[in-house]
Amino acid sequence: MHNKNPLRYFYAGLLLLVSPMVIADNITAVNVQSDGTTVKVSWEVFGQSWYAVAEKDPYMGEDIPLLSVSLATGNETFIQDLHNCYFRGRLADSNFNPLENSNAYIDLCNESVPFTGFVSDTNSVYTITAQSDSTTGISMQIDDPNLDLIGDDSAKITGPKGSNKDKPLPEDLHPRNAHPGLFPSIEILVEPNYVAKVGENAYLARIHENLAFANFIYQQSGLKQLNLIAITLLDENIVSTGSAGDIRHELQNLRRLTVQADSADMTVLFVGTDINTSYTWGWAEGGYGCDLQRAVALNNDINTVNIGKSSGFAIDLPSLIQRGWILAHEVGHILSSGHIQSDPLMDGWFQYIAALPDYVAGCDVKTQIYESCDYNKKNKKFNDFYQCD
């Protein structure tokens, strides 16, 4: 679970009052060179030249299925395969030599603009987004992790769903391609409210951007990164009472109902509205990220409560840093880590760190996280955790 201290929020609010507004600046002189495997990008903004070099992101998969699922029955419908046009690497010098302590995420999926994405140096994270009145169609601005996070604590109530734990298993499920070698793997569920909030033409880019940010955190922490297996649209909003417990209950039941032997190790839902719990923007129960692999290895039932618990949710937030950190944090819980005070990944309070390279999990976190799903049949426990120097 992630929540937030209201007093700490108050102090962050004071900082906003004395901080200058960050206004998007027009990007000019863009040059993109890509052979489909690597990309070199240069652009001018903020009165200076920027360079980035990146390779196709292997954790996004070559073609990811976009599906729809019925909350009433659990039946799935295939929509399309999403081609991988995402690249990750670093900022670079003018000769495209990568710079240490930097990050670059380049999205070439939108053919109407040169590129979008984000970059990070030792000072800030900079988002690059489409902007219709820009000379090149894109603009760049500094991402602010101190943006207002408090909503009105009132979700859009859609009516009770009722439990699906006693329903028959679905008849139509799209096959997945997860396996132990891809651990940890993730499937993303998306509420209709999320699509409505972000936009039909923008929500997929936002999902991949959030995942790329989280994977940078895992990469620089010396942890395995998250392999995307599928993106699935819910046919209706999962929120009924608007509470965190309600979302968690419905989500766990949905995963229990629809999980397959080759499903991802975990499922994370992107919620489009606020919920009726102050200072909570994500939730996941700890330690269930390997339960599906164990059940498959032992030839046990996979449609169980514990396997359903290998899930979590994240609410959409205004800052990329906020969204990417929440996703990484909740996944950390699913992979068995608890809250560790002052840790950049698993501190229970929200982190206000402006530079992505500073989000590195400490030893206390890493030694709690599963490195693989190796299982000791004698004591019935997972036994492979990260070591720390």
Side-chain angles (χ1 to χ4, degrees), residues 337-338 340-341 343 361-369 388:
S337 180
I340 303 294
Q341 187 175 4
D343 185 87
C363 284
D364 287 344
V365 166
K366 289 193 283 189
T367 53
Q368 292 183 13
I369 289 181
C388 200

Side-chain angles (χ1 to χ4, degrees), residues 66-67 79 156 188-207 231-237 269-273 316:
L66 177 65
L67 311 169
I79 300 174
K156 295 180 180 179
I188 302 294
L189 293 176
V190 187
E191 268 200 322
N193 271 341
Y194 183 90
V195 177
K197 176 181 179 180
V198 177
E200 182 72 33
N201 297 323
Y203 79 94
L204 288 172
R206 196 170 181 104
I207 289 171
I231 296 176
T232 303
L233 304 172
L234 305 184
D235 68 339
E236 56 182 316
N237 294 313
L269 170 71
F270 283 11
V271 180
T273 58
D316 191 66

Side-chain angles (χ1 to χ4, degrees), residues 13 38 45 64 69 83 113 133 140 146 195 211 259 274 297 308 326 336 345 356 359 370 378 384:
T38 61
V45 71
I64 297 299
V69 65
H83 184 62
V113 297
D133 60 354
M140 181 170 167
N146 293 299
V195 177
L211 184 57
V259 71
D274 247 334
I326 286 289
S336 87
L345 176 59
L356 175 51
Y359 286 90
Y370 300 137
K378 291 183 178 180
D384 190 16

Side-chain angles (χ1 to χ4, degrees), residues 133-152:
D133 60 354
S134 169
T135 304
T136 58
I138 53 177
S139 64
M140 181 170 167
Q141 67 179 13
I142 299 175
D143 192 65
D144 185 358
N146 293 299
L147 292 176
D148 186 356
L149 298 170
I150 293 182
D152 59 8

Side-chain angles (χ1 to χ4, degrees), residues 208 272 298 353:
H208 283 90
L298 298 178
I353 303 174

